[in-house]
Amino acid sequence: MVHYIIVKWIQGVDKKHLAEKVRTLYADAVKIPGIQAVDIKENVTPRENRYDLMIALHMENDALSGWDNSDLHIQWKSEFGSAIEKKCIFDSEM
């Protein structure tokens, strides 16, 4: 499956800097059992009604609970949570 995390940053943050930090953090996600790949995309249309960043974790279906309890996921929430205005979580088949 693909686990999507779609983020809208709060107004006034340095979106490019945050995207770089997200890429650095998520570089080790494939070390978590069941996670095969990570894609990170930045929005290219600067409109107010757009989200800013999409993280796609390609994983085995049963790897989601391992992801939820991983140190990386906990760090993601604690380090970036205050910079997020909204987020959408979506899971799909590959």
Side-chain angles (χ1 to χ4, degrees), residues 38-64:
V38 179
D39 292 317
I40 299 174
K41 304 285 185 185
E42 292 175 63
N43 177 41
V44 296
T45 309
R47 293 186 179 176
E48 185 60 32
N49 66 342
R50 299 294 195 267
Y51 280 66
D52 299 305
L53 185 81
M54 182 184 73
I55 303 162
L57 293 168
H58 301 262
M59 64 173 67
E60 297 170 14
N61 288 352
D62 59 356
L64 190 56

Side-chain angles (χ1 to χ4, degrees), residues 11-56:
Q11 192 170 15
V13 299
D14 184 340
K15 295 176 185 181
K16 289 287 185 196
H17 177 68
L18 286 173
E20 290 172 18
K21 288 180 64 176
V22 168
R23 281 189 172 81
T24 299
L25 176 65
Y26 275 78
D28 288 335
V30 295
K31 294 179 181 177
I32 298 169
I35 296 181
Q36 296 128 351
V38 179
D39 292 317
I40 299 174
K41 304 285 185 185
E42 292 175 63
N43 177 41
V44 296
T45 309
R47 293 186 179 176
E48 185 60 32
N49 66 342
R50 299 294 195 267
Y51 280 66
D52 299 305
L53 185 81
M54 182 184 73
I55 303 162

